Amino acid sequence: MFEYAPAPESRSVVDLKPSYGLFIDGEFVDPTDGGSFKSINPASEEALAEVAEAGPQDVERAVRAARTAYEKVWGLMPGRDRAKYLFRIARIIQERSRELAVLESLDNGKPIKESRDVDLPLVAAHFFYYAGWADKLEHAGFGADPKPVGVAAQVIPWNFPLLMLAWKIAPALAAGNTVVLKPAETTPLTALLFAEICQQAELPAGVVNIVTGAGDTGRTLVEHPGVDKVAFTGSTDVGRAIARSVAGTRKKLTLELGGKAANIVFDDAPIDQAVEGIVNGIFFNQGHVCCAGSRLLVQENVADRVLESLKRRMAQLRVGDPLDKNTDIGAINSAAQLERIRELSDAGSAEGAERWSPPCELPDRGFWFAPTIFTGVTQAHRIAREEIFGPVLSVLTFRTPAEAVEKANNTPYGLSAGIWTDKGSRILWTADRLRAGVVWANTFNKFDPTSPFGGYKESGYGREGGRHGLEGYLNV
Amino acid sequence: MSERVAVRKTYKLFIGGKFPRSESGRSYLVQSSNVSLASRKDARDAVVAARAAVKGWAGATAYNRGQILYRAAEMLEGRREQFVALGIPGDEVDAAVDRWVWYAGWADKLSQVYGGANPVAGPYFNLSAPEPTGVVAVVAPERPALLGLVSVIAPAIVTGNTVVVAASPTEPLAAVTLAEVLATSDLPGGVVNILTGRITETAPTLAAHMDVNAIDLSGVTDGELAADLEVKAAENLKRVLRPAPVDHDWSVDPGVTRMTSLLETKTVWHPKGV
């Protein structure tokens, strides 16, 4: 392995305040009935800033602000003007992308090369894409004069904090809704910087409200009778609870939940490309990806070659300082998540699968987990059934295409899947049979604002991105 | 000479292309007939039949599904007088036939209207296409007994879903007669399954069933029951169509929402290169 000199990105570009209030009605305000909590850097465990925890009265204030903004300003505004605000936001994100990328890596633990080259470009592109829809909704295929839903309650996860914010806020605003968004409690900081961007763009007060907090804040928000639409990205268990809580109401619901994607490698696949795809599929963003290719299904006759190549490649992965531009795998987002990954990995060993990690030095402070693969995994193993949400790959084998499809679909989830083969007809045959919302053939983990994303089965319902992404925010 | 004694019809369930009685052996008197009173077990059997039919029906070509649905409209038209004899107004039968024909034509068009190529910022082929969600449980509107029923079945099956329908408990004869239409239309057994009886008995089983992918609550008039069914449906995250308003006019143009609500969008990526 090559020795790399450290190449840290400077964090001086980020100017964090010691504490942040809630962003309600265009201003940062102190919580009236909530407390506060610290957001930490998972790579060092240092506190980055103190963040307000919104209580029920704060949520009430935020929903009321969103309602007023919807009825008095945003819902009445011509689409072309809404578009201009969204274009402004997209531009400011591009202008401040370095600052946002560094802050994202600090708060989340993801490598700077990912926040810089994947998250931030996609965030800006998402706002840019939906900005253009705001004055063209009558051409979106949802009727001649589609109407917004009203006030949207949006709860997002910690794995792509700013990107998930963009996926939620951009289509909502383009369609004429106002929003109250709750970022994850471990990664609230870029959302608060986004609130400043809304101020900089002179977005009318109350159109975007951001309430920070943990699960209780989120529950209070989605159960608030004043919201018309709930959009949630996160675990399937919480998604289920939300689906129950909106039962019998008029609230419209979209859910983007967990996954346990199969990444299928056929024996005619170009092995080196497939290995790159396997690595990208499971180790991108520390495996904190709902659509991660966490089950490798490899055809038996090439399994040894693929595994040998995969192990060689894994030995080259650099784990460490998220702000180092050479880093491939950053920090696990939280102590709790690290504990979850450890527990499931231990279960993998206990249930008889064989565990392997490359020799890998991990930093002393912070939350870290070496890239890991399990071989000899059966479909009954917990590591083949449960979402680990970490850099842990379960390897299974198959003999025939039919067996590959059977195993791939043998999960309650259905978010994504991968296919690696040189044969075009086999790609299409397999893709037709996979019960998954996104199928990557000879590639993996590609995202684009024009491309609908979302799951089958217990991975949730509704799509985000593309023309389809508008549907959840229109009264159709 | 004495007057001829009529041969009466037995009204039974429709499961897997066959007409069984309720496994419970029960019936109830409605519309002057003894109609099968479906049990929870009948509901589960119907789901098994619907699941078994998914592969063939979802895998059939859109053209083929369109042809079969059109054939069903032909059969329905031919039995017009039979429905009128059940008390269905002639206008309603006509509207039901027309609706069925309208949906039949969507079979090979919806993918083009609702899916398409996505212009992603990179060298990739990227295509989104709708697919059926799978097994759909449907609580049919209580009335209009025929038009309401057709308006919930056709949009679900035209795209490749299979259905288990809880028919109108007060006017079930139209549903059983429609089953006879479907049984003679080349529709594969199990694509449409019809249960007669109490909604409160069959619907909770269907809503809680882990092998059902979506539930259409159109015909549920009791708000509390609807909420309870929606809670049950959350267990495996079924797609839920909420109840239609009680004053819903089933004769107006339905739009495509009923079809699209029961679809999944699959997006496939592939790199371009030499």
Side-chain angles (χ1 to χ4, degrees):
Chain A
M1 171 117 181
F2 298 104
E3 285 299 321
Y4 280 81
E9 179 75 59
S10 168
R11 56 187 285 181
S12 65
V13 65
V14 174
D15 187 17
L16 274 177
K17 296 185 187 113
S19 70
Y20 286 87
L22 308 166
F23 185 64
I24 296 175
D25 209 12
E27 286 172 34
F28 284 95
V29 296
D30 291 330
T32 49
D33 60 348
S36 70
F37 60 101
K38 286 187 169 62
S39 190
I40 65 164
N41 177 347
S44 65
E45 300 178 57
E46 59 162 325
L48 292 168
E50 183 118 355
V51 178
E53 183 176 7
Q57 284 183 49
D58 300 312
V59 170
E60 174 68 37
R61 264 200 300 171
V63 172
R64 206 178 313 133
R67 173 65 57 194
T68 305
Y70 173 68
E71 285 173 358
K72 302 252 157 73
V73 185
W74 199 250
L76 311 174
M77 189 182 287
R80 64 166 191 277
D81 291 339
R82 291 201 308 272
K84 285 180 205 159
Y85 282 111
L86 290 168
F87 280 127
R88 270 190 199 174
I89 290 170
R91 283 301 197 215
I92 297 172
I93 289 167
Q94 288 174 320
E95 289 155 11
R96 298 178 68 175
S97 67
R98 172 98 167 248
E99 180 187 359
L100 288 160
V102 171
L103 182 56
E104 195 78 308
S105 281
L106 278 173
D107 201 19
N108 168 279
K110 66 172 67 201
I112 185 69
K113 72 174 179 191
E114 289 179 10
S115 48
R116 181 194 63 201
D117 298 343
V118 180
D119 295 55
L120 262 296
L122 281 171
V123 170
H126 227 85
F127 277 99
F128 204 85
Y129 174 76
Y130 278 109
W133 268 124
D135 55 359
K136 299 169 192 67
L137 296 172
E138 67 274 27
H139 302 291
F142 304 112
D145 187 20
K147 298 290 182 210
V149 182
V151 174
Q154 307 179 314
V155 177
I156 59 171
W158 45 260
N159 57 342
F160 295 91
L162 200 57
L163 183 57
M164 291 301 104
L165 174 148
W167 282 25
K168 295 282 178 289
I169 292 183
L173 265 49
N177 306 274
T178 58
V179 306
V180 181
L181 175 126
K182 189 199 85 72
E185 70 263 37
T186 61
T187 56
L189 298 181
T190 45
L192 295 165
L193 191 51
F194 177 81
E196 290 179 13
I197 289 172
C198 292
Q199 291 178 323
Q200 213 177 359
E202 293 173 18
L203 185 74
V207 173
V208 168
N209 304 274
I210 293 177
V211 291
T212 44
D216 283 345
T217 305
R219 192 175 312 116
T220 308
L221 175 59
V222 302
E223 290 178 6
H224 193 289
V227 308
D228 305 295
K229 152 82 189 177
V230 174
F232 171 76
T233 297
S235 75
T236 290
D237 281 343
V238 174
R240 250 191 277 278
I242 292 174
R244 285 188 197 108
S245 80
V246 305
T249 71
R250 70 186 192 302
K251 290 176 197 171
K252 190 167 174 149
L253 178 64
T254 46
L255 298 169
E256 203 268 89
L257 309 174
K260 192 72 192 176
N263 202 358
I264 304 171
V265 179
F266 288 101
D267 61 5
D268 64 338
I271 302 269
D272 288 347
Q273 284 177 38
V275 165
E276 285 307 307
I278 295 164
V279 167
N280 174 38
I282 187 61
F283 301 125
F284 174 63
N285 203 36
Q286 297 73 247
H288 299 331
V289 184
C290 45
C291 53
S294 54
R295 286 183 299 149
L296 173 63
L297 299 182
V298 57
Q299 200 152 15
E300 203 176 74
N301 54 337
V302 291
D304 290 346
R305 274 171 60 208
V306 169
L307 282 171
E308 189 190 324
S309 189
L310 175 62
K311 287 177 176 176
R312 200 164 53 231
R313 179 67 183 83
M314 283 172 68
Q316 309 297 316
L317 293 171
R318 291 175 293 271
V319 185
D321 181 7
L323 285 191
D324 192 313
K325 285 172 261 190
N326 291 322
T327 294
D328 295 308
I329 298 181
I332 299 303
N333 182 252
S334 67
Q337 186 56 28
L338 181 59
E339 188 47 44
R340 163 102 183 137
I341 298 167
R342 282 180 176 153
E343 187 218 320
L344 274 162
S345 299
D346 290 347
S349 300
E351 290 184 340
E354 192 180 327
R355 178 176 184 159
W356 183 87
S357 290
C360 181
E361 216 170 290
L362 300 177
D364 299 330
R365 301 194 58 200
F367 315 126
W368 306 94
F369 198 90
T372 299
I373 58 172
F374 280 94
T375 51
V377 178
T378 77
Q379 296 185 82
H381 285 163
R382 282 183 69 195
I383 53 169
R385 307 207 65 79
E386 296 178 36
E387 184 173 42
I388 300 173
F389 224 65
V392 181
L393 178 68
S394 301
V395 184
L396 297 88
T397 58
F398 67 92
R399 288 184 180 171
T400 64
E403 184 187 350
V405 168
E406 183 80 31
K407 283 183 168 168
N409 288 336
N410 183 9
T411 165
Y413 296 115
L415 191 51
S416 66
I419 305 169
W420 297 84
T421 170
D422 244 5
K423 194 175 174 190
S425 58
R426 183 180 288 156
I427 291 172
L428 298 177
W429 182 93
T430 311
D432 265 358
R433 283 157 182 78
L434 292 171
R435 301 289 290 164
V438 184
V439 177
W440 288 292
N442 293 327
T443 184
F444 210 94
N445 272 344
K446 291 287 179 289
F447 307 96
D448 192 276
T450 68
S451 179
F453 184 93
Y456 283 43
K457 301 193 283 184
E458 293 185 29
S459 288
Y461 36 77
R463 291 292 176 269
E464 294 182 301
R467 184 190 71 80
H468 294 70
L470 290 167
E471 189 169 351
Y473 293 98
L474 291 171
N475 241 328
V476 292
Chain B
M1 209 173 96
S2 65
E3 203 173 314
R4 180 175 176 272
V5 177
V7 177
R8 286 186 183 167
K9 183 152 82 184
T10 313
Y11 290 95
K12 296 188 288 186
L13 307 176
F14 185 52
I15 297 176
K18 296 188 165 62
F19 292 90
R21 289 199 174 80
S22 169
E23 61 80 36
S24 65
R26 301 174 308 169
S27 64
Y28 69 119
L29 184 64
V30 62
Q31 294 182 286
S32 311
S33 301
N34 291 317
V35 173
S36 288
L37 184 60
S39 66
R40 292 174 298 177
K41 175 76 163 73
D42 291 318
R44 293 196 298 272
D45 289 346
V47 172
V48 171
R51 173 58 63 191
V54 165
K55 196 177 172 191
W57 186 241
T61 63
Y63 176 59
N64 186 223
R65 281 200 302 271
Q67 289 237 312
I68 291 174
L69 259 70
Y70 185 77
R71 176 74 177 159
E74 290 177 345
M75 294 296 104
L76 189 55
E77 175 100 6
R79 291 189 184 231
R80 189 178 188 280
E81 294 318 311
Q82 205 176 332
F83 284 98
V84 170
L86 291 176
I88 313 277
D91 289 352
E92 187 190 329
V93 184
D94 294 343
V97 174
D98 291 353
R99 173 127 323 151
W100 200 281
V101 170
W102 186 78
Y103 275 119
W106 269 114
D108 50 8
K109 294 165 193 70
L110 198 66
S111 288
Q112 288 177 319
V113 172
Y114 199 62
N118 306 307
V120 296
Y124 295 92
F125 164 88
N126 179 294
L127 189 81
S128 290
E131 289 190 346
T133 191
V135 175
V136 180
V138 181
V139 180
E142 201 160 344
R143 59 183 63 85
L146 180 62
L147 181 60
L149 187 66
V150 163
S151 299
V152 292
I153 292 177
I157 65 171
V158 67
T159 56
N161 295 297
T162 64
V163 296
V164 177
V165 185
S168 167
T170 50
E171 297 179 28
L173 299 194
V176 185
T177 308
L178 183 72
E180 292 162 12
V181 168
L182 299 176
T184 51
S185 303
D186 294 334
L187 190 74
V191 173
V192 173
N193 304 276
I194 295 178
L195 303 170
T196 48
R198 301 186 194 109
I199 299 302
T200 48
E201 202 163 5
T202 51
T205 300
L206 297 171
H209 200 296
M210 294 298 275
D211 207 21
V212 171
N213 299 90
I215 187 159
D216 175 357
L217 303 175
S218 288
V220 180
T221 47
D222 172 356
E224 239 172 79
L225 176 64
D228 175 59
L229 294 173
E230 199 176 336
V231 167
K232 286 186 164 66
E235 187 57 29
N236 66 339
L237 293 158
K238 287 179 188 68
R239 287 78 180 115
V240 177
L241 262 79
R242 294 210 174 108
V246 271
D247 56 352
H248 181 71
D249 180 0
W250 289 94
S251 65
V252 299
D253 175 357
V256 296
T257 319
R258 291 204 147 265
M259 290 184 285
T260 57
S261 305
L262 302 172
L263 293 173
E264 308 290 336
T265 290
K266 180 184 281 177
T267 300
V268 179
W269 292 68
H270 195 279
K272 294 175 182 172
V274 288

